Every structure is written in structure tokens, then in C-alpha cells.
């Protein structure tokens, strides 16, 4: 691969949307081509400026009332389900799917009970409850010491904002009986849960899986087990894991 | 909130669960397409009504994608009514010139951010909407492809050209702004 990639290809790369084969190829090229690196940086800077400057119009409060008034749903609530709006500001996007998914996994867990399923269920729960983060911070120097004293191991907390995965926080969680540290990274409006625990009962195989639009990646390094879970596209999650492993090592 | 607010058994998503949480996303898209508060509200309301009627065809999955596709259709049919004579030229078919690819970055100028809304205004609807979906709503290419009902390759090239077009418009506005200031 050389410098003749069209703009759309370069932008897709900067957006983390290239499929893995092309991604690896292009990154190999970037390694040795300062001109293309500069170009990608320019694209990223432009996108960041755009994202920082474009306003998101919020629905006026009366709109909810208007919608409900137009629909027969308030007159006759279905069963006794009451749904309040989640206090989740801009992050509400993937919640409905997460709720459903959490319920689905909740039912299935007894049968499949794999760690990946536990991780998926925990990811889904963390999105729908208010329990996404115990410590909310984009600063690794805040999140890292927070775990000290709460866990008997130190999950590597690294800064991946340059790669497009800013740190959002962390929490203590459990996968089945296993207490784990959960690091939360953001990707656009989605989250990545990264579960970390000592591999005393054996290292995890390196594997990836997809279930109902959620992707998981597992691996072990330096005596710790890792499972990353998110609803972002598989190649983005792969890029996240690659960047994390490189820095955590 | 506690989990008791959620049904304890696996049930198909109710309309409220699957779609109502996405009304901000719906409004944002409608507002950018219609460029008018009340028109946007009307469109969102109609979209929810249509979604409600068609909800038995919702197969689960991402409610936002499903809803935004409906919002978009409502907006476009309203826009078509408004602009009776405007020919529906697809953004994909115009301006294949690659010269815009060399546009220099306008972000060094302090005025660029202020002029951004004006520049967005000058874009064709299809360019504006794809920027809104990707840059504001944070939709992945795959989700945008589902909302616009086009292949991912089209999303990729349309988004790239929308960004370049926006930079071009921004440059024009900046140049006007600067010469005005002299
Ligand atoms: Zn190059």
C-alpha cells in the first residue's frame, strides 16, 4: 500500500471504521510515511473541531407530552410496567437495547454461564443502571489510585484518548463469583467495559465473539485476565484492545 | 433508578422502552433537517405516531436506528412538500471534483466555529444529515447505513465528501468574513 488512498479511505481510517485487513495494511504504511501520518492527524483535528462545535439540539420538554398525547400508550399502560426516563443526558442512546439484552442474558445465564456471557450481562447492566461507574474521571491518575485498597491487584489504567478512546471511569464488579475491576472507556457515545482480574485460576484464551450486536474480546497478559465488551463495531473494539495492550504492557 | 422499574421476565420491548429514550436523537436530526423548531417538533411527533403504528414490524435491535430512519422519511416528505420545484439531485451525484480534497484547514481561524452553523446551512440535506448522524449522534457507519438504507460504501464516500464540502463552505465564509473586516 502506498500514498494513493482516497480521502474516504483515510477518513474511514481516522473514524476507526476500516476493516481489520485494510487497517493493518494502512497502519504499516503509516509507520513509514510521515506525509500520510500528518494527513490523518489533520483529518482527526478537523473532526475533533467539528464535534466540539456542532450543537446537539435537545428536544423541548413539551415534546414528550405532545408525543404521549398523540399516542394511546398513556391511556392504557401495558401490564404494570412504568418506564421513567433515565437520567443519562447524552448517553441514553443504546440503553433500550441494553435493557432488553440484560434481561435476555439474565434468563440464559443459568445454562451458559461462561465468563463471556457474564461479562456481556454485566456490560448491559452497567449501561441501564446508574451503576456504570463508581469513580468518574477521565484522568488515569485519579482512577488508578481509586482501585488501590479496593482490589489486591492493580488493573493497568492507561490513557487512550489520543487513540479515540477516552477514559470515563471505573467500578468494582463481579463476573459470576469472581470479583473484577471494570474500567470504562468511551467511544463516541458508546462505552467499552474492560474487566480485569488476576489469572490465578488460569489465563484466558485469546478469543473474540459476537452476541446480539455486542462484541467481546478476551486475553491474558502479565498475570491478569481481560475481557473487553462493547456494542461498537468489532474492528473498533479490536483497535481499542490493540492500543490498550500496547500501553498496558 | 432501581431495577424494579424493569419487567422481571423477558418480554418483547415495549414501545416506551425501545423508542421513547431516543426522542432527543430524533429531535436533533429533525431540527437539523428542517432548520426550524416547530417543524422539527411536528416531524418528531408524526414520526413517533408512524413508529407506533408500525411497531409490530420492529424486530428488536437498535431502536434508535429504526426511529431515526422514520424521522428522516417524515422530514424528507415534508421538505418535498415545501420546496415543490426543487429537483431531487442526489448529493452523491454532484461534485466529483477532487480539488476540494486540498482545502486547507479552516480551524486555525477563531471565526470558524462561529461560522459553522452558516456553513452547515449551505450544505445539501444529505450532506448535513450524515454529518449530524456521525459527528453529533456518534453513529457508526453501519448504523448510518441502516438509517439511510444505503450500502456502507456509500456512507463512507458520502461522509467524506460532506466533510470536504463543509470545509469548502467554511473557507468561503471565512474569506468573506475576513475581507469584510478589512
Ligand atoms: Zn503515505
Amino acid at each position: 500500500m502506498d500514498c494513493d488512498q482516497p480521502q474516504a479511505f483515510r477518513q474511514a481510517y481516522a473514524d476507526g471504521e476500516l476493516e481489520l485487513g485494510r487497517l493493518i495494511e494502512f497502519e504499516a504504511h503509516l509507520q513509514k510515511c510521515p506525509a500520510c501520518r500528518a494527513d490523518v492527524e489533520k483529518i482527526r483535528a478537523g473532526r475533533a473541531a467539528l464535534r466540539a462545535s456542532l450543537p446537539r439540539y435537545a428536544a423541548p420538554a413539551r415534546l414528550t407530552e405532545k408525543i404521549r398525547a398523540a399516542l394511546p400508550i398513556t391511556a392504557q399502560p401495558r401490564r404494570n410496567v412504568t418506564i421513567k426516563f433515565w437520567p443519562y443526558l447524552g448517553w441514553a442512546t443504546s440503553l433500550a437495547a441494553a435493557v432488553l439484552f440484560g434481561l435476555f442474558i439474565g434468563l440464559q445465564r443459568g445454562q451458559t454461564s461462561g465468563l463471556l456471557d457474564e461479562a456481556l450481562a454485566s456490560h448491559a447492566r452497567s449501561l441501564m443502571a446508574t451503576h456504570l461507574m463508581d469513580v468518574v474521571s477521565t484522568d488515569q491518575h485519579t482512577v488508578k489510585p481509586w482501585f488501590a485498597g479496593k482490589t489486591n491487584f492493580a488493573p493497568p489504567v492507561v490513557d487512550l484518548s489520543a487513540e479515540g478512546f477516552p477514559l470515563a471511569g471505573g467500578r468494582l464488579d463481579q463476573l459470576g463469583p469472581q470479583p473484577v475491576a471494570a474500567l470504562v472507556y468511551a467511544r463516541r457515545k458508546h462505552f467499552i467495559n474492560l474487566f480485569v482480574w488476576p489469572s490465578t485460576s488460569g489465563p484466558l484464551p485469546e478469543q473474540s465473539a459476537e452476541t446480539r450486536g455486542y462484541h467481546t474480546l478476551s486475553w491474558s497478559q502479565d498475570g491478569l485476565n481481560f475481557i473487553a465488551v462493547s456494542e461498537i463495531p468489532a474492528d473498533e473494539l479490536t483497535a481499542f484492545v490493540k492500543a490498550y495492550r500496547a500501553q498496558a504492557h | 433508578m432501581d431495577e424494579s422499574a424493569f419487567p422481571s421476565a423477558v418480554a418483547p420491548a415495549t414501545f416506551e422502552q425501545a423508542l421513547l429514550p431516543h426522542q432527543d436523537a430524533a429531535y436533533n436530526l429533525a431540527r437539523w433537517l428542517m432548520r426550524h423548531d416547530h417543524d422539527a417538533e411536528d416531524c418528531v411527533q408524526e414520526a413517533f405516531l408512524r413508529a407506533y403504528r408500525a411497531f409490530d414490524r420492529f424486530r428488536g435491535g437498535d431502536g434508535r436506528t429504526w426511529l431515526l430512519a422514520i424521522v428522516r422519511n417524515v422530514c424528507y416528505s415534508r421538505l418535498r412538500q415545501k420546496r415543490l420545484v426543487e429537483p431531487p439531485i442526489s448529493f452523491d451525484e454532484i461534485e466529483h471534483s477532487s480539488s476540494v480534497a486540498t482545502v486547507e484547514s479552516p480551524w486555525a481561524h477563531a471565526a470558524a466555529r462561529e461560522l459553522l452553523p452558516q456553513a452547515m446551512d449551505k450544505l445539501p440535506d444529505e450532506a448535513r444529515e450524515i454529518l449530524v448522524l456521525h459527528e453529533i449522534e456518534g453513529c457508526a457507519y453501519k448504523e448510518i447505513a441502516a438509517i439511510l438504507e444505503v450500502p456502507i460504501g456509500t456512507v463512507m464516500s458520502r461522509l467524506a465528501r460532506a466533510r470536504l464540502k463543509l470545509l469548502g463552505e467554511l473557507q468561503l465564509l471565512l474569506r468573506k468574513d475576513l475581507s469584510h473586516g478589512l
Side-chain angles (χ1 to χ4, degrees):
Chain A
M1 186 175 288
D2 45 30
C3 302
D4 58 3
Q5 297 305 325
Q7 261 293 311
F9 179 92
R10 290 157 184 274
Q11 293 198 11
Y13 170 75
D15 288 339
E17 292 273 4
L18 281 191
E19 47 100 4
L20 199 55
R22 313 282 290 171
L23 178 79
I24 291 168
E25 241 181 294
F26 190 52
E27 284 192 336
H29 174 71
L30 286 178
Q31 291 284 328
K32 49 189 191 211
C33 179
C36 283
R37 275 206 302 277
D39 191 46
V40 165
E41 273 323 298
K42 199 172 116 187
I43 291 171
R44 287 204 170 121
R47 189 187 54 186
L50 209 54
R51 291 191 167 188
S53 312
L54 285 173
R56 186 181 199 234
Y57 294 103
R62 63 173 178 272
L63 185 60
T64 306
E65 293 315 309
K66 281 170 89 176
I67 291 169
R68 286 187 171 273
L71 304 177
I73 50 179
T74 38
Q76 203 179 8
R78 297 179 178 187
R79 302 191 194 86
N80 49 7
V81 177
T82 54
I83 292 297
K84 299 166 199 144
F85 289 101
W86 295 287
Y88 246 92
L89 307 175
W91 304 98
T93 49
S94 53
L95 286 183
V99 168
L100 270 181
F101 184 78
L103 295 171
F104 170 77
I105 288 293
L107 189 81
Q108 295 246 311
R109 200 182 313 142
Q111 300 135 30
T112 48
S113 81
L115 275 168
L116 288 184
D117 284 347
E118 291 282 354
L120 275 168
S122 176
H123 175 75
R125 274 198 307 272
S126 74
L127 292 183
M128 73 184 179
T130 48
H131 191 67
L132 182 59
M133 287 166 269
D134 290 329
V135 52
V136 180
S137 173
T138 57
D139 183 358
Q140 53 177 323
H141 304 298
T142 304
V143 176
K144 201 176 168 71
W146 183 87
F147 280 107
K150 298 185 182 65
T151 54
N152 56 3
F153 61 98
V157 184
V158 299
D159 180 3
L160 298 175
S161 48
E163 282 79 9
F165 303 98
L167 182 65
R171 71 177 185 283
L172 295 178
D173 208 324
Q174 274 193 251
L175 300 183
Q178 176 68 53
V180 299
L183 301 176
V184 183
Y185 286 87
R187 177 64 161 182
R188 293 189 302 270
K189 301 220 162 123
H190 300 282
F191 287 115
I192 300 161
N193 266 298
L194 178 61
F195 301 100
V196 189
W197 70 98
S199 47
T200 37
S201 54
L204 284 180
E206 285 207 33
Q207 68 183 57
S208 60
E210 197 208 339
T211 314
R212 300 207 149 195
Y214 288 76
H215 296 101
T216 53
L217 270 170
S218 65
W219 78 97
S220 288
Q221 73 185 74
D222 306 325
L224 295 171
N225 284 344
F226 298 83
I227 297 181
V229 190
S230 186
E231 62 277 17
I232 62 174
D235 52 353
E236 288 192 40
L237 191 63
T238 306
F240 166 78
V241 168
K242 194 178 154 210
Y244 179 88
R245 292 187 72 161
Q247 284 208 34
H249 193 62
Chain B
M1 69 183 295
D2 65 37
E3 295 194 12
S4 63
F6 296 97
S8 56
V10 173
T14 64
F15 184 80
E16 288 107 306
Q17 285 170 310
L19 299 187
L20 283 185
H22 303 301
Q23 54 182 303
D24 272 340
Y27 181 78
N28 182 52
L29 177 61
R31 178 63 183 72
W32 276 104
L33 277 174
M34 305 306 293
R35 294 183 261 196
H36 186 280
D37 292 346
H38 281 100
D39 287 353
E41 276 183 55
D42 286 352
C43 285
V44 172
Q45 219 181 333
E46 188 185 331
F48 267 99
L49 197 59
R50 281 196 203 178
Y52 186 78
R53 290 191 189 123
F55 192 61
D56 54 349
R57 280 183 305 223
F58 177 62
R59 295 271 169 260
D62 189 359
R64 181 177 66 155
T65 304
W66 196 72
L67 180 64
L68 289 181
I70 297 175
V71 168
R72 173 176 186 272
N73 287 335
V74 171
C75 289
Y76 274 95
S77 61
R78 294 264 176 122
L79 286 172
R80 268 194 299 275
Q81 285 165 16
K82 275 190 158 185
R83 317 167 183 161
L84 284 174
V85 287
E86 191 164 308
I89 298 174
S90 169
F91 177 60
D92 297 324
E93 289 156 23
I94 50 176
E95 289 199 73
H96 282 280
S97 133
S98 60
S99 61
V100 278
T102 56
V103 172
E104 70 168 285
S105 170
W107 301 110
H109 301 278
R113 289 181 182 216
E114 285 156 46
L115 292 170
L116 185 59
Q118 280 185 59
M120 284 288 278
D121 243 19
K122 290 190 181 300
L123 297 185
D125 298 332
E126 287 184 332
R128 206 163 59 251
E129 84 180 341
I130 203 166
L131 289 169
V132 168
L133 290 172
H134 192 267
E135 313 300 1
I136 305 180
E137 290 304 325
C139 295
Y141 287 14
K142 198 164 90 179
E143 293 170 294
I144 297 174
I147 293 166
L148 306 187
E149 296 176 77
V150 297
I152 288 201
T154 305
V155 171
M156 185 164 138
S157 58
R158 196 185 286 178
L159 181 61
R161 283 184 310 108
R163 280 168 170 157
L164 293 174
K165 175 94 177 143
L166 180 65
L167 288 187
E169 294 293 351
L170 210 45
Q171 286 291 358
L172 287 177
L173 287 167
L174 272 173
R175 233 170 278 154
K176 245 186 249 171
D177 197 57
L178 292 175
S179 64
H180 197 72
L182 288 176

